[in-house]
Amino acid sequence: NAGVTQTPKFRILKIGQSMTLQCTQDMNHNYMYWYRQDPGMGLKLIYYSVGAGITDKGEVPNGYNVSRSTTEDFPLRLELAAPSQTSVYFCASRNDRNGYTFGSGTRLTVV
Amino acid sequence: AQTVTQSQPEMSVQEAETVTLSCTYDTSESDYYLFWYKQPPSRQMILVIRQEAYKQQNATENRFSVNFQKAAKSFSLKISDSQLGDAAMYFCAFRLGTSYGKLTFGQGTILTVHP
């Protein structure tokens, strides 16, 4: 099993550009999450999904959008990138028994 | 809202010694779970140990154990016989039993292991 796969691993964006961070899991988990980790800080929840077609905001959703058209995929969309969105982004999924699996992260720099 | 506080930004330990990382949390709920995650320089998030709030017995996983003090809302991690591979950032995390699995993380503690 590949687990949770995030692409790309690194990206540099210019202010005002847009991009989509991809996240795919092959474990048939219903729950999926997007977190951001600022330097020297803990992870903060951006958006989450409890199943295909169902998403909701987390703690820091401004500037982001998500969709969940399938169980496997949970892309995160950044519109009009800003320097404050420079961070490492983690996608995670969870099964019903509290087992979380994290992706390896995407390091995004907005210049 | 729930909060998680790790008051030790950095800790260090000698190889083979024991170190304890602190974590406190704030909640008015009784159904919740607590976690310790390890994040090495590779950025991978690795589950170290998990504790269910309804269990009075402290969780243990090999050299890792917790001291769960529910009344004091404290959840410390003890690493025994520290190894060089234990060097990493450690995060304490909390989730409510009814929160769709949303995790709240502390700020992290950087652990250095000296040979």
Side-chain angles (χ1 to χ4, degrees), chain B residues 44-86:
Chain B
Q44 190 67 36
M45 294 291 285
I46 302 166
L47 177 66
V48 175
I49 203 164
R50 180 179 73 199
Q51 175 81 44
E52 292 86 347
Y54 65 84
K55 290 185 177 179
Q56 293 191 354
Q57 187 172 5
N58 290 327
T60 62
E61 288 287 343
N62 301 315
R63 298 182 294 107
F64 299 87
S65 62
V66 298
N67 183 6
F68 175 44
Q69 299 290 326
K70 192 171 184 178
K73 298 180 182 176
S74 171
F75 183 60
S76 60
L77 174 70
K78 185 171 81 171
I79 306 174
S80 304
D81 185 25
S82 296
Q83 301 176 358
L84 295 177
D86 295 334

